[in-house]
Amino acid sequence: QVQLVESGGGLVQAGGSLRLSCAASGRTFSIYAMGWFRQAPGKEREFVAASSWSGGSTYYADSVKGRFTISRDNSGNTVYLQMNSLHPEDTAVYYCAADRRRVLSTNGGEYEYWGQGTQVTVSS
């Protein structure tokens, strides 16, 4: 099994930046894909960004392209989400997810492991 713990959320003004971190523990050797999802009040969970084990393959939601960057450390056990030029629309609970399957997916249903989430609030 794999455990995921997110950190780095908080309150920031529009145009500001935050960096989210997600640390994986347990059977981390089996992880291939790690990603970020978010859910705002009254809205469905949506894909934000995902990365392969090496970080060589990444994918971003159109809404965050050019503003957010996903990266992983050398071990692949920590994933980061650097969020720049934040908008009020980015306000949501952000969830880290991971999966051992060798597929980079934008579908949350394909991810086996999930963190508890970290709140990001962007004031206008």
Side-chain angles (χ1 to χ4, degrees):
Q1 61 180 319
V2 174
Q3 298 80 44
L4 304 175
V5 179
E6 303 101 333
S7 62
L11 175 65
V12 65
Q13 64 184 15
S17 298
L18 284 173
R19 188 182 74 160
L20 305 183
S21 299
C22 175
S25 61
R27 300 181 185 272
T28 58
F29 66 89
S30 65
I31 294 174
Y32 175 76
M34 295 188 72
W36 291 94
F37 294 77
R38 66 187 184 187
Q39 187 167 24
K43 308 194 77 174
E44 295 181 347
R45 179 184 62 191
E46 67 174 340
F47 169 78
V48 177
S51 174
S52 61
W53 185 92
S54 66
S57 180
T58 60
Y59 192 80
Y60 297 91
D62 289 341
S63 60
V64 306
K65 286 180 180 177
R67 299 189 298 120
F68 291 10
T69 302
I70 188 170
S71 61
R72 293 171 72 163
D73 67 6
N74 291 335
S75 70
N77 294 336
T78 302
V79 63
Y80 306 93
L81 186 68
Q82 179 66 47
M83 306 185 295
N84 298 326
S85 301
L86 283 162
H87 303 158
E89 311 91 81
D90 297 316
T91 295
V93 176
Y94 283 70
Y95 296 93
C96 177
D99 196 80
R100 64 179 180 84
R101 300 174 182 84
R102 298 185 183 274
V103 177
L104 191 62
S105 178
T106 62
N107 183 353
E110 296 293 326
Y111 289 82
E112 184 175 4
Y113 309 106
W114 291 85
Q116 290 74 40
T118 184
Q119 177 71 47
V120 172
T121 302
V122 184
S123 61
S124 60

